[in-house]
Amino acid sequence: DALSGRDGLFRSPDTNVWGAETDVQAIQQWLSRYQGQTRRDYARIAERFYRWCLQVRRKALSSLQEPDLQAYQAFVTAPPPDWVQPRKVRREDAAWRPFRGPLGRNSQRHEFAVLGGLFAAMHDKGYLRANAMSGLGRTLGLVKPSIDVRRSLNEAQWSFAMAVLRERPDTPARRRLQLLLELASTTGLRLSELATTRMKGLRQELVDGESAWLLDVIGKGGKLRTVMVFDDIKVLMERHHADMDAAGVGFEDAVKRVQVPNSLPTTAAGERMAAGGTGADAVVPTSNALQDALRAEHLQAWRPLIGILRRPPPRRDLDARGVPFVDRERPAQADRYGALERSAIYGLLRRFFRDVANEAATREGAPPAAEFTRASTHWLRHTFANEAIKQMQPQVLQSLLGHSHLRVTSV
């Protein structure tokens, strides 16, 4: 009980709004804010940190001081072998361990950002009277960098990449890739936003007396922002969706999962979808025609920006003994409405830029190939930022990118 946190060094003497009496209860209350992949990610980080507190540091989490947190950084940089699992196994497997290997700088930054959120919440809710994590990022050398202009495409690199794209046959796959490249580089959408934003967020309005397409995007922390979508990109969207229809993919009634922003697990409409409804059941139809119209409107509203073009193969999974097998019973489609997964979007762009790098390596006068080998989704976001900053104030760009602080927007 000495390590439970009931008598932690920094426990507040007053009653906390969570009603938590131990560190574990406080962690559980904090995790209850989140859903889906975010919750699983945060729970994984919180669990291994809490285990380290008890098993290695032999201190209650609520008694930790800055030197303890510095020691944890050293620990995750080189975790001992008995804390590392050599292969992926289920959480309940006896071979499970908290780490898959040492954490690099980016992983450390994410680890301590999550733990910083935990400590801040504990302090804010009155569980802790002091926050040992406050301002620690700079001490640990983990301050999040501002936009790196080197991780973006300049005009020559962009022109070469698009030239390589245009040389490909005009297929649904090429049209989808063009939409992805153009959309990401002209709106600054994050990878997660490209995967979760729906057509219901797109609307046409008058801007400075001219008609324009505006897209509502839910970003980090559930923050809503609006970006402009150019007319030619709207046309690319329509062509891509026509390709999905022609391939007979998109809405799959057997699939219940809907990709949504991690910060917002679902909406009222999403809850109805998860239960198998079409979203039109809130209205009593007066005719089959009206029912069909309502269903069509619903499917169009929840249609993804970037979707699948073929039905995915059966997924691999691990059985109770940790043995891989092909699960042919579970629907393989990741999203009820055919949205492309984050990993698939990332993979598409990485493969394309590797192809561009190969072309650059063989063509005289082409940009250096090495830059293309490092390009990814986030490079397109930086490309948008570097062009936009030439035309607008940093505060405006901050809003378009969905940054929480202006210093992150600074280039």
Side-chain angles (χ1 to χ4, degrees):
D1 195 62
L3 300 180
S4 69
R6 292 182 186 276
D7 300 311
L9 181 63
F10 296 107
R11 278 295 305 275
S12 173
D14 301 322
T15 303
N16 61 84
V17 298
W18 281 336
E21 297 181 358
T22 66
D23 293 344
V24 168
Q25 291 175 3
I27 292 172
Q28 291 171 339
Q29 287 292 330
W30 170 70
L31 284 173
S32 68
R33 298 176 169 186
Y34 304 100
Q35 299 288 335
Q37 182 58 43
T38 296
R39 183 187 177 103
R40 290 190 289 272
D41 181 40
Y42 287 11
R44 173 177 54 83
I45 291 173
E47 179 185 2
R48 66 188 179 198
F49 177 65
Y50 185 70
R51 284 174 173 269
W52 174 84
C53 293
L54 273 55
Q55 299 173 12
V56 178
R57 205 62 175 176
R58 303 296 300 167
K59 294 180 72 172
L61 183 150
S62 50
S63 295
L64 296 181
Q65 300 171 290
E66 281 199 16
D68 299 311
L69 300 174
Q70 293 170 351
Y72 182 65
Q73 183 189 25
F75 183 84
V76 302
T77 302
D82 59 340
W83 279 66
V84 179
Q85 63 185 39
R87 60 185 177 87
K88 182 180 180 180
V89 296
R90 291 180 181 273
R91 173 62 185 82
E92 60 270 18
D93 194 293
W96 178 88
R97 297 293 183 271
F99 291 91
R100 294 294 302 276
L103 299 188
R105 299 299 287 179
N106 288 336
S107 296
Q108 290 179 38
R109 187 176 293 116
H110 177 62
E111 185 95 359
F112 279 87
V114 172
L115 295 176
L118 168 63
F119 273 73
M122 286 180 165
H123 183 247
D124 181 60
K125 300 301 181 182
Y127 183 79
L128 295 178
R129 58 183 174 84
N131 179 3
M133 277 280 186
S134 180
L136 193 62
R138 190 171 298 279
T139 301
L140 299 178
L142 299 176
V143 175
K144 187 175 181 179
S146 58
I147 292 177
D148 187 350
V149 296
R150 295 168 298 179
R151 297 176 64 227
S152 63
L153 300 173
N154 59 35
E155 185 175 350
Q157 291 168 332
W158 176 256
S159 297
F160 182 79
M162 296 307 289
V164 172
L165 178 67
R166 286 192 295 270
E167 292 172 0
R168 295 185 171 186
D170 186 14
T171 63
R174 195 203 83 167
R175 291 191 288 270
R176 180 178 63 180
L177 181 56
Q178 182 181 357
L179 168 61
L180 181 55
L181 288 163
E182 298 277 12
L183 182 64
S185 63
T186 58
T187 62
L189 295 188
R190 299 180 176 93
L191 173 60
S192 61
E193 295 163 353
L194 289 166
T196 60
T197 303
R198 305 285 167 162
M199 290 299 292
K200 66 188 181 74
L202 188 66
R203 66 186 189 278
Q204 195 170 25
E205 291 190 4
L206 288 177
V207 178
D208 294 332
E210 295 186 7
S211 179
W213 289 101
L214 302 178
L215 181 65
D216 292 331
V217 180
I218 299 174
K220 286 186 176 180
K223 293 180 180 178
L224 179 68
R225 72 183 192 277
T226 301
V227 299
M228 183 175 291
V229 175
F230 294 120
D231 289 345
D232 56 343
I233 295 177
K234 174 63 167 57
V235 172
L236 291 175
M237 284 185 187
E238 293 171 350
R239 290 176 180 170
H240 171 53
H241 293 153
D243 288 334
M244 292 179 66
D245 293 340
V249 296
F251 179 75
E252 181 61 60
D253 191 55
V255 178
K256 305 306 178 185
R257 178 173 178 260
V258 179
Q259 291 184 167
V260 293
N262 288 334
S263 53
L264 296 178
T266 189
T267 62
E271 290 175 357
R272 290 196 296 273
M273 290 186 296
T278 64
D281 51 347
V283 179
V284 179
T286 58
S287 67
N288 289 337
L290 177 56
Q291 188 174 14
D292 291 344
L294 291 172
R295 177 180 174 82
E297 289 176 8
H298 170 78
L299 295 180
Q300 176 60 25
W302 283 89
R303 175 165 254 175
L305 302 182
I306 312 292
I308 61 175
L309 291 173
R310 60 180 178 85
R311 298 189 185 280
R315 290 177 179 266
R316 287 186 168 274
D317 204 347
L318 299 176
D319 63 17
R321 297 169 298 175
V323 177
F325 74 102
V326 177
D327 188 350
R328 300 185 183 278
E329 299 297 325
R330 187 177 62 172
Q333 188 166 307
D335 179 87
R336 185 174 175 85
Y337 297 89
L340 205 58
E341 289 184 278
R342 295 169 177 82
S343 58
I345 293 175
Y346 181 83
L348 277 178
L349 289 174
R350 287 287 289 166
R351 287 191 295 273
F352 171 69
F353 283 122
R354 282 199 298 268
D355 291 344
V356 174
N358 289 331
E359 294 295 332
T362 60
R363 300 190 189 187
E364 186 177 351
E371 291 299 304
F372 292 114
T373 63
R374 294 190 288 269
S376 65
T377 320
H378 217 65
W379 279 52
L380 299 178
R381 180 169 162 83
H382 288 183
T383 299
F384 164 76
N386 290 337
E387 288 301 313
I389 196 64
K390 302 172 185 177
Q391 308 171 39
M392 60 186 66
Q393 293 297 316
Q395 292 84 352
V396 178
L397 180 56
Q398 175 192 356
S399 176
L400 289 176
L401 290 172
H403 284 160
S404 56
H405 299 287
L406 185 59
R407 61 177 170 79
V408 180
T409 310
S410 301
V411 293

